[in-house]
Amino acid sequence: MELEPPIYDGQVHAAYAGPRDDVTALVPPTATRVLDVGCSVGALGAALERRGHAVTGIEANPEMAATARASLSHLIEADVEELARRDEAIGDAFDCVVFADVLEHLRDPWAVTRWAARHLTPRGSLVISVPNIRHASLVTSVLGRRRWLYEDVGIFDRTHLRWFAYKNLPQLLEGTGLAITELTRT
């Protein structure tokens, strides 16, 4: 099964290429250095750069990385799970690490969050966005129709390997020394 993001007429689908105002709003204004994991084409990072943050992006897809490179302070073209597996250092510590709808695509998101936490400054933070497993469309599809709808994008994204419910979210932070300080829903 192809796990690349959907590309139509040479353009990455907007769900993978938007600035994500809901996520950028959660990045502390005092965060000088930000790591955007799974940065796609760099739209979220570019929005943060315009706010005065220096953003390093991590992106495994070469085409998306090439686009992101043009708008971010620094770009690491790599598979974040490989970086975490090798416990690879990626430069100076970050004030904030952003996972904008990335963790559900990973084989071992717990190892990646532990790795990312080791790259934070002492007062640094993680900003994590994951799909809402309790969304009405999921309940209707799975419980009502008894089938899982696989789609190119959205809650039923065919590239999702994991799901997180409200009570699973703290597990993502186990072993990091971090705790949830704010939880919002959209």
Side-chain angles (χ1 to χ4, degrees):
M1 176 179 8
E2 180 64 43
L3 294 181
E4 293 296 318
I7 298 174
Y8 303 104
D9 297 324
Q11 298 292 316
V12 175
H13 190 281
Y16 290 84
R20 294 295 307 272
D21 294 338
D22 58 329
V23 175
T24 58
L26 297 172
V27 174
T30 56
T32 304
R33 291 179 35 86
V34 177
L35 178 64
D36 182 5
V37 178
C39 69
S40 180
V41 295
L44 184 150
L48 291 171
E49 292 265 351
R50 288 190 295 276
R51 285 182 27 190
H53 305 281
V55 179
T56 295
I58 297 177
E59 178 55 53
N61 179 287
E63 292 84 17
M64 291 174 25
T67 302
R69 190 173 279 113
S71 57
L72 304 180
S73 295
H74 184 64
L75 192 285
I76 300 167
E77 188 176 325
D79 178 333
V80 70
E81 289 193 281
E82 266 307 298
L83 296 174
R85 188 187 64 72
R86 294 189 313 253
D87 198 22
E88 192 163 318
I90 53 171
D92 295 335
F94 294 91
D95 302 305
C96 182
V97 176
V98 176
F99 291 104
D101 294 295
V102 169
L103 295 172
E104 65 274 10
H105 298 270
L106 304 179
R107 292 176 304 275
D108 191 353
W110 306 276
V112 171
T113 55
R114 287 190 304 271
W115 171 83
R118 290 193 295 276
H119 289 85
L120 288 172
T121 60
R123 297 190 50 96
S125 61
L126 297 180
V127 171
I128 297 172
S129 172
V130 293
N132 181 0
I133 190 71
R134 292 183 61 192
H135 191 273
S137 63
L138 181 117
V139 173
T140 301
S141 177
V142 175
L143 297 180
R145 296 185 187 119
R146 295 183 182 198
R147 65 180 202 164
W148 195 266
L149 298 174
Y150 290 103
E151 300 173 341
D152 286 343
V153 295
I155 291 176
F156 295 101
D157 185 323
R158 62 187 162 71
T159 67
H160 289 173
L161 301 179
R162 304 268 179 224
W163 288 97
F164 300 99
Y166 179 83
K167 291 187 178 182
N168 296 117
L169 293 175
Q171 295 171 344
L172 281 170
L173 302 180
E174 286 178 2
T176 66
L178 301 172
I180 296 174
T181 59
E182 180 179 351
L183 180 64
T184 60
R185 296 181 201 173
T186 56

